[in-house]
Amino acid sequence: MKPVKVGLLGLGTVGGGTFNVLRRNAEEIARRAGRGIEIVHAAAREYDPTRLPGIEGIQVSDDAFKVVDDPDIDIIVELIGGYSPAKELVLRAIENGKHVVTANKALIALHGNEIFKAAQDKGVMVAFEAAVGGGIPIIKAVREGLAANQIEWLAGIINGTGNFILTEMRDKGREFADVLAEAQALGYAEADPTFDVEGIDAAHKLTILASIAFGVPLQFDKTYTEGISNITRDDVAYAGELGYRIKHLGFSRRTPKGIELRVHPTLIPERRLIANVDGVMNAVLVKGDAVGPTLYYGAGAGSEPTASAVVADIVDVTRVLTADPENRVPHLAFQPDALSDTPILPMEAVETAYYLRLCAQDKPGVLSDVTRILAEREISIEAILQKEPAEGATRVPVIILTHRVTEGAMNEAIAAIEALQHIEDKVTRIRLEHLDAS
Ligand SMILES: NC(=O)C1=CN([C@@H]2O[C@H](COP(=O)(O)OP(=O)(O)OC[C@H]3O[C@@H](n4cnc5c(N)ncnc54)[C@H](O)[C@@H]3O)[C@@H](O)[C@H]2O)C=CC1
Ligand SMILES: N[C@@H](CC=O)C(=O)O
Ligand code: NA
């Protein structure tokens, strides 16, 4: 059988990795796919040929539309990133009857509903395993491996750059900006790294995971998103003293009132496996009603780990092309006409526990005012840590861990605490999840 012909858009971190992995493992991959897979045409604005041995034998255009319109090509692999022209390229590929593989979570989270509809109408596949959790086969695991379950909740460390930064700050006391620069040099970060540190990238990925887990359309605009740029080394140290790690977590849970969809820094008990996922590694914890808790772990970013997921999708598409084209796994796991309109819960209605750090003047009665404010709102306290004031200082940090309460009640309590005469600065609030999957 003739090899499947692939057009590769982008020859950067992931595009380069895809080119190299496909070449290096060609024989093994062909044995799995049932036929050869050949990149015949690529597009890039710029690329480094010294990192791509063999690229000289392939046509490389600077106009990606030339590849998408190339009649010889069966599968377009979009590894350019961003919204435009990625969206136009993907829609044109679909219109031309080509299957698409992409690692572009921003594109899928914001325009996936439209793209999948176009693909459905045209009878082609759009595969996006690399868009979530890099090399971890998490889309396949949730969509296919857990198909028997009602998913109850999922929690993930789904941004490699952010996790790398938090880990280096904690373990080596390094500065935020310095670690971010290293993540960029290693090819982990997005073209605009605020997507990583402000949680937008994780929110894209969570949006996709929640759709696949709960059978709802992609709703990025309803995802609560908070980044890690305000986390201080002090918070990391205080959390450690109390037995917790701070992780940037994406969390989604089905409740009777709606679906929680939120990304924010989160305290997690340090005995949990997921609290010990460090560096660029990602992990997703998924709780199904039948299977119970399951945990998926692997490199969340980087050239070849991400290429591993891209190539797996190319193999999947090749198998479908070669076998029964009607028998396909639906894009969002549930049949398109069976997606549910379960609402996404507003953040004020979401319940979590909290870590609060206050800066109090070292005066009698301050702490009792704070505990009264919490008690009036039925917010119970799990632990209090009052640090000694530094030599000659009149301000003391006070750390409070609370039990679960709604975000709305906590917002009111924080406003009342900040209004107290002897409380200085803003209260730092980090949500806390026990992630007890038993
Ligand atoms: N870097 C990583 O670890 C991961 C990246 N991704 C996603 O993969 C995609 C690609 O990311 P990277 O490889 O890191 O980006 P990159 O910046 O390293 O590479 C982008 C490539 O696209 C080319 N390009 C950009 N605009 C173009 C245009 N208009 N026409 C033709 N070529 C164009 C560039 O010349 C370059 O070769 C993004 O959607 C990103 O979010 C997903 C998972 C992990
Ligand atoms: N910038 C992303 C790349 C992978 O999705 C990350 O750091 O996780
Ligand atoms: Na993946």
Side-chain angles (χ1 to χ4, degrees), residues 4 30 106 118 131 136 149 159 162 178 204 221 264 275 321 345-346 379 387:
V4 161
I136 309 172
N149 289 262
N159 182 267
D178 168 44
H204 289 148
D221 56 336
H264 49 69
L321 266 176
L345 271 189
I379 301 175
K387 307 302 289 182

Side-chain angles (χ1 to χ4, degrees), residues 406-428:
T406 62
E407 179 97 355
M410 182 51 82
N411 287 343
E412 282 178 24
I414 288 176
I417 293 170
E418 286 175 347
L420 287 172
Q421 197 191 346
H422 299 304
I423 295 294
E424 298 186 357
D425 302 336
K426 290 272 180 209
V427 172
T428 294

Side-chain angles (χ1 to χ4, degrees), residues 165-179 228-241 244 246 355 357 387 399 428 430:
I165 293 172
L166 287 177
T167 305
E168 292 287 304
M169 280 171 71
R170 186 196 70 213
D171 289 355
K172 302 183 190 152
R174 290 178 63 191
E175 291 301 330
F176 193 101
D178 168 44
V179 192
I228 55 169
S229 49
N230 292 329
I231 299 293
T232 65
R233 273 188 278 171
D234 284 347
D235 289 321
V236 173
Y238 298 149
E241 282 182 45
Y244 292 84
I246 299 180
Y355 161 104
R357 175 166 52 78
K387 307 302 289 182
I399 318 301
T428 294
I430 308 177

Side-chain angles (χ1 to χ4, degrees), residues 14 103 105 130-135 157-164 183 187-193 195-196 201-202 205 280 282 299-302 306:
V14 185
K105 51 270 162 144
V132 184
I157 294 171
I158 44 181
N159 182 267
T161 302
N163 203 41
F164 181 65
Y188 300 158
E190 294 303 301
D192 175 355
F195 274 46
D196 296 291
D201 178 72
K205 293 164 175 166
V280 73
N282 280 194
T306 310

